[in-house]
Structure formats: structure tokens, C-alpha cells
């Protein structure tokens, strides 16, 4: 892997100056044949779809490559300011379709493949999702990269190249079963290994302080066990603009020294086997969404990402500018995606002081003008705290720096609020106690010049609650950046028929200027346009029906209302409330209350963290209720329920295009933003939802007439705590009492006695943090309004069109423009100019 430089050879510059590759069908066909026959060495006897996909992937990759190099050169030559998006997760999904769309070569490729007797739709399905993330946070990072490239902003993503991504989910006897996701098994054409750029990351050892000749103290971190960080670059194409940005993912590898020491002791096989230890760091993604489990391997992953990425940026700086860091902060910015990479604050201090010889004051000035932090959740269990003990063991030098940051910070607090000991204890980066811990969110706030939430309500709750003390100290640091989704993947690519219909009506500039969708508003009541809209949505629904059948074996009639909740399974997202409603509908059917019935399929999909037992129990309940509902002849033509296994990005592409009703029913104040809500809206689904996260902004855009609002507000939720009495609510509500009785008498677990006792207990507990019973009645009423609205076709279609028309605000192009205008301040660079 260490790369030998050429010594005698002088490569001619002509090597790098090839003619551009053609984008016509005939050019593509010729290249396809070349890759199939020569790069991959296959012949006509090879029937494997895998090689056809790979050959096509290489054809597309070649066309990214030249634009990629041009973009890199344009950034280097302009000496522009750059931003770096540091994230433990990038939930990219598939790359092929997105690359074709953004290059604008889908038609030529379809034509080329056609004359080769191949079908694009079939090849697209061969690609495994790059599932390097859990849910919303990781998908947001992927949408952000797409928008940065489309806006031609010099932004680079930094993440980890997990060997195993998000687990694949199966259902056995109604239970979730996890299977490892070895997504790289069949190779990955969408990455380029860069072994010449390998770096070293240190762990363990101890610190050693010596006095310099001039009296200054010099700290050295010694006796470390180093691990190599090998970069793999993933191209991120902008939309038809010649820009290809880079996502750099780090893979861990062993150094050769490991072997040597033990080799001399005669333990060669043991020494080689010890390589495993090092390669473990980037082996697997932790499958916890919005909660931390404090495992030491996770801390090592976080430091590995932060250290490798910062070293990489500093190395490039030194190559191009030398060791003068005076304007480093004016030219670089790091956006921290949640607290996961926040050790970067201390690591940048270490690199600037210990490796570059800067004084504390200068290093701190640079660090605190370079870091910006995005918070993603208010849930206390998601706030990362790492035991001081783990830092002592793995990152002793970083701990010293954190203590020093804390001492200086607390000095500042004491100056502002003299003698306020409670406040000092509350704000300290170190939580004292039996097992002292480092509060990573506080480290991120203290070290950053910007702290943002991800929807208006969320940002407000952050400054009033969780981070109130910090808001009082530094109000100017706090701001909001409401999340978004990229309209390239989430409309132009996943829903080509609706895209064509929209473009025929208003032109195609909406793809990069999503607010133009407002031009659909006058068409919302147009009978002709409604009919076209209906036809497209019907075809998408058929596609979803086929997908659901293929994944779950359940058949759903096309005349049903598709009522869909797909997202991670979590108590705060309240898949349980949805299930109670299904039981209620089933109960109504059983007692013959079916006048003016709207046939409905309730579809729920999502993964539960493997250690989150109650979430897994909810999956089991959904599956048991589905079995009872679907096998009862009385529900025929009226009601179906499906648990859709293995929810993932490529599944969502089909799901959001074919759904009627989008379930966004979290307990108010708990969902930071949500982005699934935006994908459904953009594709013309109506929302049933609480006043939570970005739902509030969706409602603001589309209006109450086209949104089924229910439930307590965040303020009411807060007021209810302390005197919540679910038993009284249940007794006072005949429908809810009947639902609870069905559950309690074991109607859905006839042969599995007691299985759902914990779930039932949670609903009835006065300490239920999610207030499921409190919102039941208002949820059922909102569902009735939705069912009624669905039966009025013109009305529903009008609302559907208006949902799409009003979704412009939720483009990540808008989100990223705000990050850039208010936090990063980068100048767009066009590689063509
Ligand atoms: C959009 C998306 C999410 C986020 O969904 P929420 O409803 O906002 O929680 C999670 N997983 C996948 C695969 C997604 O595409």
C-alpha cells in the first residue's frame, strides 16, 4: 500500500489530458462493451446481471472522473474557503440512478442498453444500498452533499467506510431478525481508494511534558498504538453543472510495526492476526438511532474520524500554504453532524499545538472560529457522555486538552455569574459523580461559533431548555436551519412520471429551484390536470403494490387508501398509536360499524435498534395484529395491515411515490425535524400529524385544509407531565376501552400468553413519556377526517397537488443556502470557468 514515487520516469502531462468521453448512446454502448469484455473479462456466456450492472457503473464512473478532477483543480487553484461536513453517517442509498440523472445521460443510457438487449430498471436493482447510516441524520448528510454539489459549493464530506452498514431486517414469526449487511461483497465501483494519502491515528500511550529551551512546556503523546487511516473517495455529482464534489470515507488498517515487534519475538502468525484489532475500528456501523450505548469501540470510531479528517485538511493546508495558520479560520470550516464527531474540537487544538507548535490562545482562536455544531435531538438518552476513564485509556492527551478548555471556560462563566456554583456544575464539560463523564454536546458548544437546531420548534426548545445556560451566555451562537431533502433523488429520480407531468405544466427549472412548484397551485382545481395527476399516482401505487407483495407477500388492492408510516421504530415516533388505531378500525368492522367506510391499507416499516427490546416488541405486535386483521374474512375489501421488512433508502424511493397518507405522529416536542414527512409531501401525499418538528412548517406552507392535524402541543405535553392519568382517559373513551380490552384478553397473542404485557403496561403507565393514550381520541378523529376526504376524489387530488406545490421550502438547496449564507460563507466555484 505505501506508494513509491517515480524517480527516473517523468510522466508526460499528456497522460492526464484525454479527450472528453461522449454522452451519446453510441459512445456509451461502445464503452459498455469495452468494460464488459476487457475491464471485467466476461463474454457472451456470462449471464450474471452483476457484471452487466458493474460494466454500466464503470461507464458512468468514467464520465464522472474527468469532471471530478476538474472540480478538484478549480477548488485548489481558486484558494477558496472550504467547508467540511463531518458525520459518522452517510445514508447514501444507491448511486447509479442519481449519477445518471445528475449527468443528464439517462436517455442515452436507456437507448444504449436497449440495443444491447438490456433493461435499465433491472440493472438499477442490482446495486446494494450504501447503508452507512441509521435514519434521518445520515440521510440528511447525503441530501446535503447533493445540494452542495448542485450549488457548486466547495464542501467535502468526511465519514467512515464501514465494512458492514445498517443491518438487513427479516421477520420471523413476527419478530425482527438482524442479518449483517456486507454491502461491499460484490465490489463497489463508486469509490476510489487513495492509498497515497494514508494517515496515522494514535491511541493509548501516555503524555510526556518537557520544558523547552525558552521555558515553554512541550507535551508529547508517546508509546501510542497507531492505526492507519486509508481514504476512499466517493464522487458526489452536482445536477448538470460539471461539479463533482468528494465524500472521503476512512478505512482503518494495521501499521506494519505491529508485526515487526512480535515477529522478532517469534510470534509471526499472532502478529499478523493482531491486524484484526486495527481493522476492527471501521468494521461496523452502530445501529442505534437517537440513543448512545457508550461502547468504547464507538469512541474510537469517533476519534478516528475526527483525527484523520483534521489531519487531512491540515496536510493540504501545509502543502499549499506552508505552516502559516494566520488565516486558516478564514478559509476552513467544519460542520459537526451532531455530537458524534465533536472530539474534533480537542483534536484540532492538539494538532495545532503539539504538531504545529502554536500557543494555546492562537490555537483556540482558530478552533473556535472554525467549528460549527448541529444538534439533532432533544432526547436525553441521545446526549453523548463518555466516561473520563475511557479517555484516560484511549485518548490521554485529548483529556488533558478537554480539562484545560473546561478550566478556561468555567473561568468565563464565573466572571459572568460570580459565585454561581450551581451554574458552574451544570455547565461544566465534566459531569462529576461516581463515574465522571465528558459531556460531548457541551464540548461542541464551547468550541463552536455556531450552534443550530434542525427545525424552528426544535431550535426554540434547545435555547429554552436543553442548552438554556449556554444560550444565556452566548445568544448569538444559536440559530435554526430547518432540514430538507434533495428534489433530485426524492422527485426527479424516484418519481419520473410525476416529474414529467410537472415539467410539462411548469417547465423543469423546479429541479434546482423547488419554490417554482408553487406554479402548480392554479392547476390544483383543474379537472384535466387532476385526472393526469390521478393516473400518475395510480401507476406509482401499482409499483408500490408490487414492491409490497415482493417484500412481504401481502397483496393490497389499488382502490385502498395507502396509509403509511415508515421510519425507525422508536417509542417517541408512536408506531404504537398507529397500531391502536388499526385495532380500533378492526373492532369497528367486527361490530358492523362500517357505513361510509374508506378501504385502507396501513403499512408500517422500520428497523428497531437490536438492543431496544420494547421497540422490537412493537414490531411483533404490528405483525400479530396484521395477521389477525388480514386473515379475518370480515375485513375483506375494507382493511389490511402490513409490516414492510427492511426499510431503506431504495425502498423509500418507491414508497413515498405511491402513498396517500403520511403518518407523522410523534409526541410533540420529541421529533427534532423529520425528513420522511417532506419526501411524502413532495410526492403528493397528505400528512396526518402532530405539531412537532418540521410538521409545523409543513402545515404553515400547505394550510390546515390540506393537513390532518391532531394531538397535544409541545407545551401541553410538558404541562401534562406529573398529573397524567391514562387509566381515566381509557375509562372515559369507549373506543379506547374496547381496544385495550382486546389487547388485554390476548386477542392478538392467543398462543403467546403475556407477550404484550410490557407494551400494555407502557400505555397505562402514568409515567408514559409518550402520552399515547392522551392523543388517541384526537388521532382517531383526524383519521376519520382523512378517510372522509379520501372518498371525495376531486378534493383529495386538489390537496395532493397542493402538497407538492407547497413543498418548495423543504429542498436541501434552501437549507444549504442558509448554512452557507449564515455559517460557512463560501463562494460558489464553477469548474468550467
Ligand atoms: C428519510 C429517511 C429516514 C428519516 O425518516 P423520518 O420519518 O424523518 O424519521 C429514515 N430512513 C430512511 C431510509 C429514509 O429515507
Amino acid at each position: 500500500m505505501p506508494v513509491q514515487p517515480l524517480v527516473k520516469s517523468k510522466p508526460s502531462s499528456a497522460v492526464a489530458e484525454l479527450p472528453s468521453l461522449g454522452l451519446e448512446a453510441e459512445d456509451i454502448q461502445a464503452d459498455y462493451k469495452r468494460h464488459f469484455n476487457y475491464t471485467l473479462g466476461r463474454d457472451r456466456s456470462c449471464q450474471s446481471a452483476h457484471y452487466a450492472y458493474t460494466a454500466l457503473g464503470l461507464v458512468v464512473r468514467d464520465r464522472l472522473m474527468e469532471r471530478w478532477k476538474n472540480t478538484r483543480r478549480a477548488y485548489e487553484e481558486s484558494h477558496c474557503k472550504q467547508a467540511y461536513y463531518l458525520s459518522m453517517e452517510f445514508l447514501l442509498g444507491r448511486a447509479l440512478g442519481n449519477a445518471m440523472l445528475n449527468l443528464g445521460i439517462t436517455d442515452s443510457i436507456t437507448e444504449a442498453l436497449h440495443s444491447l438487449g438490456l433493461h435499465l430498471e433491472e440493472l438499477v436493482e442490482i446495486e446494494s444500498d450504501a447503508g452507512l447510516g441509521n435514519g434521518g441524520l445520515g440521510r440528511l448528510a447525503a441530501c446535503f452533499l447533493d445540494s452542495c454539489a448542485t450549488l457548486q459549493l466547495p464542501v467535502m464530506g468526511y465519514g467512515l467506510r464501514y465494512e458492514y452498514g445498517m443491518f438487513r431486517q427479516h421477520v420471523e414469526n413476527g419478530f425482527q431478525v438482524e442479518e449483517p449487511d456486507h454491502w461491499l461483497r460484490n465490489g463497489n465501483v463508486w469509490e476510489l481508494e487513495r492509498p497515497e494519502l494514508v494517515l496515522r491515528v494514535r491511541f493509548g500511550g501516555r503524555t510526556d511534558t518537557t520544558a523547552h529551551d525558552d521555558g515553554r512546556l512541550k507535551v508529547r503523546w508517546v508509546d501510542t498504538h497507531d492505526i492507519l487511516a486509508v481514504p476512499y473517495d466517493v464522487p458526489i455529482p452536482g445536477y448538470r453543472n460539471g461539479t463533482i464534489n468528494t465524500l472521503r470515507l476512512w478505512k482503518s488498517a494495521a501499521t506494519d510495526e505491529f508485526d515487526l515487534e512480535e515477529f522478532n519475538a517469534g510470534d509471526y502468525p499472532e502478529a499478523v492476526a493482531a491486524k484484526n484489532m486495527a481493522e476492527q475500528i471501521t468494521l461496523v456501523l452502530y445501529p442505534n438511532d437517537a440513543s448512545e450505548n457508550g461502547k468504547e469501540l464507538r469512541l474510537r470510531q469517533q476519534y478516528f474520524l475526527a483525527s484523520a479528517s483534521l489531519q487531512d485538511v491540515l496536510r493540504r493546508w501545509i502543502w499549499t500554504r506552508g505552516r502559516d495558520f494566520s488565516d486558516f479560520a478564514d478559509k476552513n470550516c467544519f460542520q459537526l453532524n451532531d455530537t458524534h464527531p465533536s472530539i474534533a474540537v480537542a483534536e484540532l487544538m492538539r494538532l495545532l499545538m503539539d504538531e504545529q507548535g502554536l500557543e494555546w490562545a492562537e490555537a483556540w482562536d482558530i478552533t473556535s472560529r472554525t467549528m460549527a455544531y448541529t444538534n439533532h435531538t432533544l432526547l436525553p438518552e441521545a446526549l453523548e457522555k463518555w466516561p473520563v476513564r475511557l479517555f484516560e485509556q484511549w485518548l490521554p492527551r485529548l483529556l488533558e486538552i478537554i480539562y484545560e478548555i473546561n478550566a478556561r471556560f468555567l473561568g468565563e462563566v464565573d466572571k459572568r455569574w460570580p459565585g454561581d456554583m450551581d451554574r458552574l456544575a451544570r455547565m461544566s464539560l465534566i459531569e462529576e459523580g461516581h463515574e465522571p463523564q465528558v459531556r460531548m454536546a457541551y464540548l461542541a458548544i464551547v468550541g463552536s461559533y455556531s450552534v443550530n437546531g434542525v427545525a424552528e420548534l426544535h431550535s426554540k426548545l434547545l435555547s429554552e431548555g436543553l442548552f438554556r445556560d449556554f444560550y444565556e451566555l452566548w445568544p448569538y451562537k444559536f440559530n435554526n436551519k430547518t432540514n430538507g431533502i434533495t428534489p433530485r433523488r426524492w422527485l426527479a429520480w424516484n418519481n419520473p412520471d410525476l416529474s414529467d407531468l410537472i415539467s410539462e405544466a411548469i417547465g423543469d427549472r423546479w429541479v434546482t429551484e423547488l419554490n417554482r412548484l408553487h406554479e402548480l397551485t392554479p392547476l390544483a382545481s383543474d379537472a384535466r390536470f387532476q385526472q393526469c395527476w390521478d393516473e400518475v399516482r395510480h401507476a406509482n401505487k401499482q409499483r408500490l403494490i408490487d414492491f409490497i407483495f415482493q417484500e412481504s407477500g401481502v397483496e393490497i388492492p389499488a382502490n385502498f387508501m395507502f396509509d403509511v408510516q415508515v421510519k425507525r421504530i422508536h417509542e417517541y415516533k408512536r408506531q404504537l398509536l398507529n397500531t391502536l388505531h388499526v385495532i380500533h378500525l378492526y373492532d369497528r368492522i367486527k361490530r358492523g360499524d362500517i357505513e361510509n367506510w374508506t378501504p385502507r391499507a396501513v403499512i408500517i416499516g422500520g428497523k428497531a435498534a437490536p438492543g431496544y427490546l420494547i421497540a422490537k416488541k412493537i414490531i411483533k405486535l404490528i405483525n400479530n395484529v396484521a395477521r389477525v386483521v388480514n386473515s379475518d374474512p370480515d375485513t375483506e375489501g375494507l382493511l389490511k395491515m402490513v409490516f414492510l421488512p427492511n426499510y431503506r433508502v431504495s425502498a423509500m424511493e418507491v414508497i413515498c411515490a405511491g402513498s396517500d397518507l403520511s403518518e407523522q405522529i410523534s409526541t410533540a416536542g420529541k421529533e427534532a425535524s423529520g425528513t420522511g414527512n417532506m419526501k411524502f409531501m413532495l410526492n403528493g401525499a397528505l400528512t396526518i400529524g402532530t405539531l412537532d418538528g418540521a410538521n409545523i412548517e409543513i402545515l404553515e406552507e400547505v394550510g390546515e385544509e390540506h393537513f390532518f392535524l391532531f394531538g397535544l402541543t409541545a407545551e401541553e405535553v410538558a404541562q401534562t407531565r406529573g398529573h397524567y392519568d391514562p387509566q381515566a382517559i381509557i375509562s372515559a373513551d369507549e373506543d379506547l376501552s374496547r381496544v385495550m380490552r382486546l389487547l388485554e384478553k390476548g386477542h392478538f397473542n392467543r398462543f403467546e400468553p403475556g407477550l404484550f404485557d410490557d407494551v400494555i403496561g407502557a400505555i397505562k403507565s402514568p409515567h408514559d413519556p409518550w402520552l399515547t393514550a392522551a392523543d388517541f381520541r384526537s388521532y382517531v378523529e383526524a383519521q376519520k377526517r382523512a378517510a372522509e376526504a379520501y372518498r371525495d376524489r376531486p378534493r383529495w387530488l386538489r390537496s395532493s397537488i397542493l402538497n407538492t406545490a407547497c413543498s418548495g421550502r423543504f429542498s436541501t438547496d434552501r437549507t444549504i443556502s442558509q448554512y452557507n449564507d449564515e455559517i460557512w460563507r463560501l463562494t460558489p466555484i464553477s469548474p468550467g470557468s
Side-chain angles (χ1 to χ4, degrees):
M1 190 172 43
V3 181
Q4 300 277 336
L6 291 168
V7 178
K8 286 182 253 169
S9 319
K10 291 276 171 278
S12 144
S13 65
V15 181
E17 284 161 24
L18 294 165
S20 287
L21 297 173
L23 303 180
E24 303 302 322
E26 60 213 60
D27 308 311
I28 284 166
Q29 202 186 94
D31 269 9
Y32 175 90
K33 289 181 184 165
R34 183 169 57 79
H35 280 304
F36 188 80
N37 288 285
Y38 299 117
T39 313
L40 302 176
R42 307 293 134 173
D43 61 25
R44 74 183 76 209
S45 71
C46 174
Q47 297 292 315
S48 162
H50 164 72
Y51 293 105
Y53 157 75
T54 305
L56 177 60
L58 291 168
V59 168
V60 174
R61 190 180 84 168
D62 288 346
R63 280 144 182 88
L64 294 172
M65 216 47 103
E66 49 186 329
R67 291 166 178 80
W68 201 2
K69 291 187 228 176
N70 290 341
T71 305
R72 206 155 47 211
R73 183 159 5 102
Y75 291 163
E76 273 166 24
E77 287 173 359
S78 72
H79 291 282
C80 57
K81 181 174 185 184
Q82 293 199 227
Y84 307 95
Y85 199 77
L86 265 56
S87 179
M88 291 286 284
E89 306 189 10
F90 287 92
L91 190 48
L92 298 166
R94 291 175 176 151
L96 176 60
N98 187 248
M100 293 185 325
L101 172 80
N102 284 13
L103 285 171
I105 56 173
T106 315
D107 290 345
S108 331
I109 286 190
T110 307
E111 190 187 328
L113 291 177
H114 184 76
S115 23
L116 291 160
L118 295 162
H119 291 276
L120 178 58
E121 315 83 79
E122 197 181 335
L123 299 195
V124 161
E125 292 296 317
I126 306 294
E127 183 176 356
S128 350
D129 280 38
L132 308 184
N134 275 281
L137 173 149
R139 184 55 232 176
L140 183 77
C143 285
F144 275 8
L145 293 183
D146 182 87
S147 281
C148 288
T150 295
L151 294 166
Q152 303 197 299
L153 295 175
V155 176
M156 192 165 161
Y158 275 112
L160 297 181
R161 183 180 177 275
Y162 302 108
E163 212 78 37
Y164 292 86
M166 190 60 209
F167 66 81
R168 279 182 304 169
Q169 179 194 55
H170 283 275
V171 173
E172 270 175 39
N173 184 32
F175 290 101
Q176 164 174 302
V177 176
E178 301 95 20
E179 242 194 31
D181 166 44
H182 197 188
W183 68 294
L184 294 165
R185 175 167 298 156
N186 297 319
N188 176 16
V189 299
W190 308 109
E191 64 179 15
L192 193 67
E193 189 185 354
R194 307 288 304 273
E196 71 277 22
L197 298 178
V198 67
L199 286 164
R200 247 166 205 270
V201 176
R202 301 164 179 236
F203 289 98
R206 60 189 172 83
T207 60
D208 177 47
T209 310
T210 48
H212 254 238
D213 300 341
D214 60 6
R216 282 163 51 191
L217 291 180
K218 166 97 182 154
V219 183
R220 291 187 318 140
W221 185 6
V222 296
D223 298 341
T224 53
H225 290 282
D226 299 357
I227 288 178
L228 299 181
V230 186
Y232 285 72
D233 286 356
V234 179
I236 306 293
Y239 185 74
R240 302 186 188 176
N241 61 7
T243 291
I244 312 282
N245 279 346
T246 301
L247 167 60
R248 180 160 289 176
L249 301 177
W250 299 103
K251 174 192 158 85
S252 58
T255 59
D256 287 337
E257 292 128 51
F258 266 62
D259 313 14
L260 250 158
E261 284 171 25
E262 308 220 0
F263 176 75
N264 295 333
D267 277 341
Y268 179 70
E270 283 74 9
V272 175
K275 274 174 174 286
N276 266 327
M277 273 279 286
E279 323 239 291
Q280 256 186 36
I281 291 189
T282 55
L283 189 62
V284 58
L285 167 77
Y286 276 89
N288 306 303
D289 184 66
S291 84
E292 279 312 321
N293 56 5
K295 290 286 192 302
E296 64 183 63
L297 179 59
R298 168 83 174 179
L299 175 62
R300 287 195 289 151
Q301 287 185 338
Q302 295 183 346
Y303 180 66
F304 186 74
L305 167 65
S307 181
S309 309
L310 292 174
Q311 287 188 57
D312 195 40
V313 172
L314 288 182
R315 174 174 61 186
R316 256 197 318 274
W317 179 266
I318 293 165
W319 278 344
T320 54
R321 320 259 187 146
R323 286 175 196 273
D324 175 4
F325 291 92
S326 52
D327 61 348
F328 183 85
D330 302 319
K331 294 288 185 182
N332 296 280
C333 171
F334 298 94
Q335 190 72 43
L336 307 175
N337 197 20
D338 214 325
T339 55
H340 313 154
S342 60
I343 187 65
V345 169
E347 175 66 0
L348 185 55
M349 290 297 290
R350 184 188 75 81
L351 292 169
L352 291 174
M353 295 188 303
D354 297 1
E355 316 241 310
Q356 302 304 330
L358 269 60
E359 297 285 347
W360 181 280
E362 199 185 346
W364 183 250
D365 176 68
I366 290 172
T367 301
S368 58
R369 288 197 295 125
T370 317
M371 297 282 164
Y373 158 56
T374 304
N375 173 279
H376 282 269
T377 172
L378 296 157
L379 300 182
E381 64 268 32
L383 287 185
E384 290 190 296
K385 291 173 194 166
W386 289 109
V388 164
R389 175 182 48 80
L390 283 186
F391 271 89
E392 285 166 346
Q393 184 184 343
W394 293 103
L395 307 169
R397 178 60 183 139
L398 281 294
L399 184 61
E400 289 178 353
I401 292 170
I402 290 170
Y403 281 153
E404 182 66 24
I405 293 172
N406 197 35
R408 290 168 188 248
F409 163 63
L410 291 179
E412 207 177 316
V413 174
D414 190 57
K415 225 183 333 175
R416 170 78 190 270
W417 290 283
D420 189 341
M421 300 311 285
D422 284 349
R423 191 182 287 263
L424 285 176
R426 282 203 309 270
M427 296 180 80
S428 173
L429 303 192
I430 308 297
E431 181 178 283
E432 299 297 346
H434 168 65
E435 165 93 86
Q437 318 232 27
V438 183
R439 295 161 162 161
M440 300 309 280
Y442 294 3
L443 175 62
I445 297 172
V446 172
S448 297
Y449 67 94
S450 165
V451 177
N452 75 280
V454 292
E456 281 171 5
L457 174 68
H458 172 234
S459 296
K460 176 171 115 74
L461 295 176
L462 277 183
S463 47
E464 288 174 355
L466 205 54
F467 296 156
R468 187 189 176 136
D469 289 324
F470 293 89
Y471 178 72
E472 287 175 3
L473 183 59
W474 298 311
Y476 49 85
K477 282 193 187 187
F478 288 77
N479 65 93
N480 172 247
K481 297 287 169 283
T482 298
N483 282 166
I485 55 172
T486 167
R488 269 72 65 185
R489 182 176 297 263
W490 298 113
L491 185 53
W493 167 251
N494 77 306
N495 200 341
D497 293 345
L498 202 67
S499 296
D500 287 346
L501 177 61
I502 293 169
S503 296
E504 279 163 31
I506 63 168
D508 61 7
R509 288 170 65 184
W510 60 267
V511 179
T512 50
E513 298 166 46
L514 202 63
N515 275 321
R516 288 185 180 272
L517 290 178
H518 269 129
E519 294 166 27
L520 291 171
T521 304
L523 292 166
S525 312
D526 178 313
R528 266 289 299 145
F529 191 75
Q530 283 190 356
Q531 195 196 330
C532 296
W533 194 267
D534 200 20
E535 280 163 17
V536 168
R537 289 196 49 83
H538 191 267
N540 288 335
K541 207 163 185 174
Q542 198 55 56
R543 194 155 61 111
L544 178 54
I545 288 170
D546 296 342
F547 181 78
I548 292 171
F549 180 68
Q550 174 198 310
E551 302 274 306
S552 74
V554 179
E555 272 184 278
I556 303 174
N559 68 317
F560 277 39
M561 175 167 90
F562 280 39
D563 170 352
V564 182
Q565 185 175 25
V566 286
K567 46 182 77 249
R568 288 301 291 257
I569 308 292
H570 205 296
E571 286 166 286
Y572 85 80
K573 292 178 183 275
R574 295 200 297 194
Q575 284 89 359
L576 190 52
L577 179 60
N578 191 344
T579 307
L580 295 183
H581 174 245
V582 176
I583 297 173
H584 165 65
L585 290 180
Y586 171 70
D587 179 49
R588 274 183 59 191
I589 292 172
K590 294 308 281 182
R591 57 186 212 235
D593 175 16
I594 55 168
E595 224 182 301
N596 295 325
W597 189 270
T598 302
R600 182 195 295 249
V602 177
I603 297 146
I604 302 181
K607 293 170 184 173
Y612 189 175
L613 298 185
I614 192 90
K616 292 176 110 172
K617 193 64 76 67
I618 291 168
I619 291 179
K620 171 65 173 162
L621 175 64
I622 294 165
N623 280 302
N624 278 23
V625 172
R627 199 192 37 185
V628 169
V629 166
N630 298 346
S631 60
D632 189 327
D634 293 349
T635 65
E636 183 75 30
L638 300 176
L639 182 63
K640 285 244 185 259
M641 186 177 199
V642 190
F643 182 82
L644 191 57
N646 203 29
Y647 176 56
R648 60 200 185 279
V649 171
S650 59
M652 185 52 159
E653 291 172 7
V654 184
I655 294 166
C656 67
S659 300
D660 297 306
L661 188 63
S662 156
E663 297 270 351
Q664 307 300 337
I665 61 177
S666 51
T667 310
K670 298 296 171 190
E671 187 74 88
S673 162
T675 50
N677 47 4
M678 301 167 184
K679 298 167 200 166
F680 282 109
M681 181 197 197
L682 180 60
N683 283 269
L686 277 65
T687 304
I688 181 166
T690 48
L691 284 173
D692 201 15
N695 294 353
I696 296 172
E697 291 158 71
I698 287 177
L699 175 63
E700 232 169 73
E701 293 298 301
V702 76
E704 237 184 285
E705 203 189 322
H706 313 288
F707 184 112
F708 305 103
L709 177 64
F710 76 95
L712 299 178
T713 63
E715 214 167 310
E716 289 165 342
V717 165
Q719 285 161 6
T720 303
R721 301 212 190 284
H723 53 86
Y724 178 49
D725 185 357
Q727 303 273 12
I729 295 173
I730 294 167
S731 321
D733 188 317
E734 174 64 15
D735 290 334
L736 183 53
S737 302
R738 292 176 63 98
V739 167
M740 293 307 291
R741 228 170 295 140
L742 281 172
L743 276 170
E744 284 174 331
K745 73 172 200 213
H747 193 76
F748 305 101
N749 52 321
R750 284 268 155 82
F751 307 104
E752 300 163 303
L755 187 64
F756 299 126
D757 288 358
D758 43 1
V759 176
I760 296 165
I763 300 169
K764 291 164 62 172
S765 164
H767 307 293
D768 172 18
W770 323 113
L771 307 184
T772 304
D775 277 346
F776 177 82
R777 177 46 43 196
S778 108
Y779 181 53
V780 167
E781 296 305 321
Q783 287 285 19
K784 276 190 196 151
R785 298 200 301 276
E788 215 174 291
Y790 191 74
R791 275 184 282 121
D792 181 348
R793 280 321 281 166
R795 183 199 148 170
W796 187 275
L797 286 166
R798 176 162 170 266
S799 291
S800 169
I801 297 165
L802 287 175
N803 266 272
T804 301
C806 297
S807 57
R809 178 171 171 187
F810 306 106
S811 168
T812 37
D813 297 346
R814 185 271 310 152
T815 312
I816 288 298
S817 298
Q818 291 179 328
Y819 273 91
N820 193 44
D821 292 346
E822 296 161 27
I823 304 176
W824 305 339
R825 308 200 147 276
L826 311 171
T827 310
I829 305 281
S830 169
S833 59

